[in-house]
Amino acid sequence: MTSDVRVRFAPSPTGKLHIGGARTAIYNWAFARANHGTFILRIDDTDPTRSTAENTQVILRAMRWLGLDWDEGPEVGGAYGPYAQTERLDMYREAAERLLAEGRAYPCFCTPAQLEADREEARARKDPFQGYQRRCRNIPADEARARMEAGEPYTIRIKVPEDRGDVVIDDAVHGRVVFDAKELDDFVIFRSDGTPTYNFATVVDDAAMGITHVIRGDDHLSNTPRQVMVYEALGAPVPTFAHISMILGADGKKLSKRHGATSVEEYRDAGYLSDAFVNYLSLLGWSLDGETTIIPRDVLASRFSLDRISKNPATFDPAKLDWMNAEYINAMDDDTFVEQIVIPQLAAAGKEVVRGSHTDAWWSLLASIVRPRTKMPADAAQVAAPIFASAKTLAYDEKSVAKGLAKEGMGTVLDAARVALGTLAADDWTAANIDAALEPLPDALELKKRIVFQAIRVAECGNMVSPPLGETMQLIGRDDCLARIDRARDLAM
């Protein structure tokens, strides 16, 4: 069942999709899904100097990676298209012409020099209103039309009613916001080059597309009274506005490149999971109940509501994002972890591994010891790397060798380990049996347990930091484990 709720995310393709825009998209998507409404993606590309087709594709890729499927928009279509503003210029012209014909807008022939002179005069007389002085507002329609047809340059200005009272916005986040209509000048809706201004084009689009809720950053709040004037001039219903707070860095300043990565694709390329990323961004200014932090996508899509959005700025904390990413990874089942994390990351590290090269039980054991040590996907390849090496190709960490292996008596430790492990048949090569075979060695050699197992770990894994030794050695296999001890014997004293 669908509802009448229609929301849109309307990025300008002037660069990459950044964190603030991504959060806005998430909120619009989640609100539409929670209300069984329609989520529209619209490309606001009326800035010809910065908007490019390539940047549009960057945005679409980011949206797809975020998993924010749109019901209408590029590559999907819909009944209210086209969904790029550059393809809707005729609609804006028609709307402006209608407002001219109805007397709700008028042509302005003032030159930039005239406008600046008027501003200077207003400042000189300390006029509280220093906007456009409405010089062309009362030019007779016939005269105005004749000057337009004669080719005189002009803009089109909205005619703000002189008796218009305060503009009151019942914002879903900020509550009642009042703007003094006396401070609104007759602002330009169409430039002299024949292109619409943002405040006009976006309202024409939102009205034509039946947008019921405009969820956007609060940097747009100051645009709202002007846009309300356009809605009223068009005779279109004013949507519900919800202006969300900005995102700050840890230093309390607006999030920017100085705080690190800011674009969605940078986080994708760094290995963050889209589900974790969407979860984290959704909590930058919204909460389910004030306590829950792990909010699966389906819960977000069913429980999101505007009344849970905070009006206070949110702080982006990379450490919390890392924690959340690790939580999502740790919640994966074995098969998902192997297929989506381990094998792709090993391939990225240059190790081509085929799932069928080992049994499902072998992969499950690998997942059980690697997953808890994986915060970022790339960690999985690093943790598992010794298991996928061979006795001949295993890389040794120099510091680990120096500290744990190249010391007096460590050769004796490896000799004893070699003998103890050699008693195990291939069929008995399990973590439990390996641990049991090695357990007596510290007492027998009269050495601390840490020293004995440190030497064995370096011999088998090439470093002193690895998953549980018994499980790791079971995965490596009997013959290769013995061969590793033989190779490491030359490094021990």
Side-chain angles (χ1 to χ4, degrees), residues 10-197:
S12 297
T14 55
K16 296 180 178 179
L17 180 60
H18 291 96
I19 288 173
R23 182 190 60 170
T24 299
I26 291 166
Y27 284 10
N28 276 279
W29 173 86
F31 184 71
R33 296 292 171 262
N35 288 279
H36 307 288
T38 302
F39 175 52
I40 299 164
L41 176 61
R42 187 177 75 224
I43 304 299
D44 284 4
D45 56 353
T46 51
D47 183 345
T49 60
R50 300 174 62 205
S51 299
T52 67
E54 181 181 349
N55 285 339
T56 296
Q57 289 305 312
V58 169
I59 290 172
L60 297 185
R61 284 198 303 269
M63 291 288 287
R64 283 191 288 265
W65 179 75
L66 290 168
L68 305 180
D69 55 315
W70 54 97
D71 305 302
E72 297 178 21
E75 301 180 355
V76 174
Y80 297 86
Y83 294 92
Q85 286 191 328
T86 49
E87 300 175 35
R88 299 174 64 84
L89 294 177
D90 288 344
M91 300 181 191
Y92 308 138
R93 292 191 187 96
E94 289 172 8
E97 287 290 341
R98 179 164 67 84
L99 294 185
L100 282 174
E102 294 174 353
R104 299 178 186 276
Y106 60 92
C108 173
F109 303 97
C110 295
T111 64
Q114 179 67 66
L115 294 173
E116 181 56 34
D118 286 349
R119 278 191 291 269
E120 285 293 337
E121 289 180 16
R123 282 192 287 266
R125 64 175 180 266
K126 297 182 180 180
D127 191 330
F129 178 78
Q130 296 181 8
Y132 176 62
Q133 300 295 306
R134 297 174 172 168
R135 180 180 290 273
C136 298
R137 179 169 173 135
N138 295 316
I139 295 176
D142 290 346
E143 178 186 339
R145 179 60 61 182
R147 293 172 68 177
M148 292 164 63
E149 292 175 352
E152 186 174 345
Y154 66 93
T155 60
I156 300 176
R157 293 181 179 273
I158 198 83
K159 186 180 286 187
V160 177
E162 291 181 302
D163 59 349
R164 178 65 165 83
D166 290 339
V167 180
V168 180
I169 309 296
D170 289 317
D171 193 273
V173 175
H174 292 273
R176 186 180 178 86
V177 183
V178 180
F179 297 91
D180 187 350
K182 294 185 179 65
E183 296 179 1
L184 290 177
D185 62 3
D186 290 353
F187 53 93
V188 174
I189 60 174
F190 242 83
R191 305 181 185 92
S192 58
D193 64 2
T195 60
T197 59

